Amino acid sequence: MKTVFVLNGPNLNLLGTREPQVYGSQTLDDVQVLCERACAANGFALEFRQTNHEGTLVDWLHEAGHLHAAGTLAGVILNAGAYTHTSVALHDAIKGTGITLIELHISNVHAREAFRHHSYISPVAKSVMAGFGVNGYALAIAGLAGMQ
Ligand code: DQA
């Protein structure tokens, strides 16, 4: 059974109370349950994590890279939060590991402030998903299943 890494960056631990008009009212725990169900339905194991620290995300991408090299990674779904718009380090980690990665945003970043329109992740992502709310996580897991 292959593993899906779902990695969440800064401030996503605040889901449920953070700008609910933008991100909805479901919590990160709710998102984890949703991902567990989607992974079970598609025959994947799930590794679900959140951190507020950029270097930790880099370390986790490297860890996913080891699974990729061993042939046991289905792919990574990354909501890098604000690091999407700032992080060359995440760009380099994705490129350097060769992992299959889906960039995910709960909101439609292109309909928001101009500083959210640029992504350092998109050029090294296999796919980009934005604006489906938290249901985007389940859609991304189904998308990974279609790529196997
Ligand atoms: C986000 C969009 C980012 O611009 C923002 O900084 C986030 C969340 C989203 O899921 O819509 O933290 O990635």
Side-chain angles (χ1 to χ4, degrees), residues 100-104 121-122 124-129 143-144 147:
T100 299
L101 182 134
I102 300 181
E103 173 183 351
L104 184 142
I121 311 295
S122 297
V124 287
K126 173 89 175 166
S127 323
V128 180
M129 172 156 300
L144 275 179
M147 290 174 196

Side-chain angles (χ1 to χ4, degrees), residues 10 12 18 23 79 81-82 84-85 104-107 109 112 116:
L12 289 159
R18 173 195 186 195
Y23 299 112
N79 185 347
T84 304
H85 318 298
L104 184 142
H105 303 286
I106 296 166
S107 64
V109 283
R112 301 181 63 195
R116 296 185 203 277

Side-chain angles (χ1 to χ4, degrees), residues 66-139:
H66 295 316
L67 267 67
H68 172 68
T72 58
L73 182 77
V76 176
I77 296 163
L78 174 65
N79 185 347
Y83 291 140
T84 304
H85 318 298
T86 63
S87 181
V88 176
L90 290 179
H91 174 108
D92 286 349
I94 296 160
K95 203 171 188 176
T97 54
I99 53 177
T100 299
L101 182 134
I102 300 181
E103 173 183 351
L104 184 142
H105 303 286
I106 296 166
S107 64
N108 177 1
V109 283
H110 298 288
R112 301 181 63 195
E113 303 97 319
F115 65 82
R116 296 185 203 277
H117 297 175
H118 177 263
S119 167
Y120 282 97
I121 311 295
S122 297
V124 287
K126 173 89 175 166
S127 323
V128 180
M129 172 156 300
F132 286 95
V134 296
N135 195 44
Y137 286 83
L139 296 172

Side-chain angles (χ1 to χ4, degrees), residues 46-85:
L46 173 67
E47 199 55 53
F48 187 95
R49 302 179 189 173
Q50 188 275 331
T51 178
N52 292 320
H53 304 282
E54 185 177 12
T56 303
L57 284 172
V58 171
D59 288 343
W60 289 348
L61 289 169
H62 292 180
E63 193 183 328
H66 295 316
L67 267 67
H68 172 68
T72 58
L73 182 77
V76 176
I77 296 163
L78 174 65
N79 185 347
Y83 291 140
T84 304
H85 318 298

